[in-house]
Amino acid sequence: MKKIVIVEDDPFMREELREIFEKEGYPVVCIAEFDHVTDNIIQAAPGLVLLDINLPGISGFDICRELKRKAMLPVLVLTSRDQMKDELHALNLGADEYLTKPCRKERLLARAANLLRRYEGRSQLRPGMDFLLDSQTYTLYIHDRSVVLPPNQGRLLEAFLAHPGELMKKETLCMVLWGTTEFIDENALQVNLTRLKKTMRELTMMQQIETVRGLGYRLIAKEEKDEE
């Protein structure tokens, strides 16, 4: 079953929620430290995030905003804040469900199961730092817009996303584009890479493709590239 990540600062509530989901057979990870919480959630690779709003040092609203910017994960907000403005704010930030405490466990489990089902069909979406790539249509979702990439650019970007930060040799990229390394003009590969780099610059993406002279290419954060 899909993993559930619980972001809750109240230890009693946290353990109660853990018990509810574990009894249903879900693997559960609890977040109790709130430094770098978004990165910790993504690293846990959950199927669903259960998120409180009132947290020490950081707002659940901020976590929701950053999480939705970085990853394609369902977020169920579970909070004691029952004001309509809070619910609308969370939903506008991308939260998928909003429930108030106390909440019957049957309702909580049903909403969680529904979200997991809704996201099952989105496995073709590949996350970048600030974008999502649909690996079937090569549609890029970034900055509240969508851009359909030409097939070769889409194939290349998908390959880099599968190996972020790793060196991709020219031969590997030729296989990605043409399924062979024979009789391929290296200039053709360079043309496709140049076009993808231009697209990424124009969309001000947080990741860029770096050329490693004589070795190949890699996808890195733009800040790393700028520092060099």
Side-chain angles (χ1 to χ4, degrees):
M1 297 182 74
K2 294 288 188 179
K3 185 187 300 178
I4 309 293
V5 164
I6 297 171
V7 186
E8 169 64 63
D9 65 316
D10 184 316
F12 298 104
M13 176 61 69
R14 190 165 60 237
E15 289 308 308
E16 181 180 349
L17 291 170
R18 179 203 291 272
E19 184 176 344
I20 287 172
F21 282 96
E22 286 185 340
K23 280 186 175 179
E24 296 298 314
Y26 293 99
V28 174
V29 172
C30 290
I31 303 288
E33 299 292 334
F34 303 101
D35 293 329
H36 312 295
V37 60
T38 305
D39 292 337
N40 291 337
I41 292 171
I42 294 173
Q43 187 174 7
L48 172 67
V49 180
L50 204 65
L51 178 64
D52 190 14
I53 294 298
N54 297 321
L55 299 168
I58 188 170
S59 166
F61 293 128
D62 293 332
I63 294 172
C64 183
R65 179 191 294 109
E66 187 176 1
L67 194 59
K68 286 295 184 176
R69 183 172 61 84
K70 289 185 174 182
M72 193 66 179
L73 292 172
V75 175
L76 191 161
V77 171
L78 182 64
T79 178
S80 59
R81 296 171 66 155
D82 60 358
Q83 297 295 310
M84 178 62 72
K85 65 178 182 178
D86 291 323
E87 179 174 353
L88 293 176
H89 186 40
L91 295 174
N92 286 334
L93 291 174
D96 300 272
E97 286 280 6
Y98 191 99
L99 294 175
T100 55
K101 307 171 186 173
C103 175
R104 292 181 62 89
K105 72 174 184 178
E106 294 84 2
R107 175 176 289 128
L108 175 60
L109 288 169
R111 297 291 178 87
N114 183 53
L115 279 180
L116 288 168
R117 285 193 297 271
R118 280 164 51 187
Y119 272 73
E120 278 179 358
R122 305 189 189 186
S123 58
Q124 76 274 11
L125 292 171
R126 305 284 183 260
M129 289 182 67
D130 60 342
F131 66 89
L132 295 167
L133 176 70
D134 187 322
S135 61
Q136 293 184 353
T137 65
Y138 297 129
T139 302
L140 194 65
Y141 299 96
I142 182 169
H143 307 323
D144 298 320
R145 60 182 293 199
S146 60
V147 178
V148 179
L149 298 179
N152 279 358
Q153 290 188 39
R155 292 188 190 102
L156 286 171
L157 183 55
E158 182 183 13
F160 281 112
L161 288 174
H163 305 279
E166 297 180 22
L167 184 69
M168 301 288 285
K169 294 184 178 180
K170 296 176 183 178
E171 295 79 6
T172 302
L173 296 176
C174 284
M175 289 295 295
V176 167
L177 289 181
W178 299 292
T180 180
T181 58
E182 298 182 11
F183 313 115
I184 298 298
D185 184 352
E186 190 175 312
N187 288 334
L189 173 61
Q190 188 60 51
V191 166
N192 282 283
L193 283 166
T194 299
R195 289 172 178 169
L196 176 57
K197 288 179 180 181
K198 180 181 178 183
T199 297
M200 296 174 76
R201 286 195 304 270
E202 290 176 346
L203 293 172
T204 62
M205 294 167 69
M206 293 176 64
Q207 289 165 285
Q208 298 292 327
I209 295 170
E210 177 191 52
T211 302
V212 183
R213 187 176 299 274
L215 296 175
Y217 307 86
R218 61 178 179 169
L219 182 68
I220 61 172
K222 185 175 183 298
E223 290 80 1
E224 296 178 42
K225 196 172 192 303
D226 292 341
E227 288 172 2
E228 296 180 356

